Amino acid sequence: MPTCIALFLAASSLAHTAAEPVELSRKFTMGEKASYKVTNALLVEHRNYMLDTFIPENQGFEYVFGTTVEKIGADGVATMRYARPTMTFIQGESAESDEKRKVEKVNFDLRLDVSSVNDLLNVEDLSEAKKKPAKKPSSGQWLRSMSASAAAQTMVQQFIGQIFQLAQMGGGLQGAMDFAPRLPIRPVVPGDKWKTTVGFSPQKLSGDAKGKQAVQRIDYTMTYKGLGDLNGKQVYLVQADLKLDTNLVDYFKQLDPDVGEVLSKLPIQLDATIMYSLDMGTRATLKGDMSATGKYEVYVTTLDGQAYEEARLTSKTKMVRVAAK
């Protein structure tokens, strides 16, 4: 009996220790240098109404960036230099050609103010060369051959393009993995959740019986998962989950009823999960692993029940900390 009691007390003690709140805010140090490699692989399968099978296309990108902490304020905000000299864009192997890799000089040279929860408070561009605008993913040719308004074309391309950016984490710094995850402002225990906004999309208003839509936030739900292992080292684990399921046509019809004469449905879906491993001392991100799946379908009034164009996408993005140079 004494042995059983001792085991019970030991188990209770461990459970109590595991449930102790943890503060996940960053601990910056002067002169701290960090370097990361980010890679993405995206598979897009698409077809139009004239095809029975989906045509696959592989693409992706990779880059290395580095940061140096220059100053730490009394409020814990770090001023740091951010450098990303190049990006490599990858066009996957196809039946017509081998894999193609193109290195582009982006010359990102920024001074950033980063809070202890990984919020970017200020961004100052220190580079001399003007940046070329980022290439936007193609959202298909269907609108260009139809009598949709220019406003409708712009809106559809904007929101479909955003799905690709979210799936690849390939937007600006606010949407990339470079300064993720956003950390909680209060101590947490395993299972605690908080949210971070990564974009905006038309979505059905909660509780509206008529199904009206409005542009609303796209949020990642963050969950503290407790302790984990990364290459034999104990780390804090934070999981991020995103789910988007909406029909853009409902929103566009609210803005321009004439859209209904061209489009009948435009459903868009995206599911993404990211697991972050954080250093237990500094709370800096050591690794981020993302998997995302999504699709969109374009239905027009001239085709009954068959998608005019549709695409499925699968994306994997990884960020790992590497030895700083």
Side-chain angles (χ1 to χ4, degrees), residues 9 31 42 53 64 85 94 130 150 172 200 202 210 214 222 224 229 271 305:
L9 291 174
L42 173 69
T53 59
V64 173
S94 67
K130 292 183 179 180
F200 297 86
K210 296 182 179 180
M222 321 294 292
Y224 173 52
D229 178 87
D271 292 273

Side-chain angles (χ1 to χ4, degrees), residues 52-223:
D52 292 327
T53 59
F54 283 87
I55 306 300
E57 178 185 354
N58 291 283
Q59 55 184 275
F61 58 79
E62 61 184 43
Y63 60 88
V64 173
F65 73 89
T67 60
T68 303
V69 176
E70 298 179 327
K71 184 175 67 174
I72 303 175
D75 53 1
V77 173
T79 298
M80 62 175 64
R81 194 77 172 258
Y82 174 97
R84 188 199 302 179
T86 64
M87 289 186 69
T88 300
F89 294 94
I90 304 165
Q91 192 69 38
E93 181 181 4
S94 67
E96 291 79 25
S97 63
D98 296 331
E99 179 183 279
K100 297 178 181 178
R101 302 172 70 90
K102 182 180 180 181
V103 179
E104 291 192 6
K105 293 183 178 180
V106 294
N107 297 319
F108 286 175
D109 184 8
L110 309 172
R111 178 168 285 122
L112 311 172
D113 287 341
V114 184
S115 78
S116 58
V117 295
N118 282 338
D119 272 338
L120 297 183
L121 305 179
N122 186 56
V123 179
E124 180 185 358
D125 190 348
L126 304 177
S127 63
E128 296 180 1
K130 292 183 179 180
K131 308 296 187 305
K132 295 181 180 179
K135 296 179 180 178
K136 294 184 178 180
S138 171
S139 56
Q141 304 293 322
W142 58 276
L143 277 171
R144 287 184 276 279
S145 63
M146 308 188 71
S147 58
S149 68
Q153 294 182 37
T154 300
M155 288 188 293
V156 172
Q157 290 169 348
Q158 172 189 350
F159 289 118
I160 289 181
Q162 182 179 219
I163 294 303
F164 279 83
Q165 287 189 344
L166 288 172
Q168 293 183 278
M169 299 197 81
L173 282 184
Q174 293 284 5
M177 197 178 282
D178 301 20
F179 291 93
R182 188 187 185 280
L183 300 171
I185 60 175
R186 297 180 179 86
V188 290
V189 297
D192 280 352
K193 300 179 184 295
W194 62 99
K195 292 183 181 292
T196 182
T197 301
V198 291
F200 297 86
S201 177
Q203 300 171 61
K204 188 176 294 185
L205 291 170
S206 177
D208 192 316
K210 296 182 179 180
K212 289 186 177 180
Q213 293 197 347
V215 175
Q216 302 179 67
R217 302 182 338 179
I218 301 176
D219 290 334
Y220 266 104
T221 298
M222 321 294 292
T223 306

Side-chain angles (χ1 to χ4, degrees), residues 181 220-223 238-242 272-276:
Y220 266 104
T221 298
M222 321 294 292
T223 306
V238 173
Q239 181 172 309
D241 295 287
L242 179 150
T273 297
I274 315 172
M275 183 63 77
Y276 295 101

Side-chain angles (χ1 to χ4, degrees), residues 42-47 53-55 57 164 293-297 310-314:
L42 173 69
L43 168 64
V44 181
E45 300 172 286
H46 54 85
R47 70 178 179 185
T53 59
F54 283 87
I55 306 300
E57 178 185 354
F164 279 83
T293 58
K295 67 177 182 179
Y296 71 84
E297 298 168 326
E310 54 189 315
R312 306 182 302 210
L313 60 95
T314 303

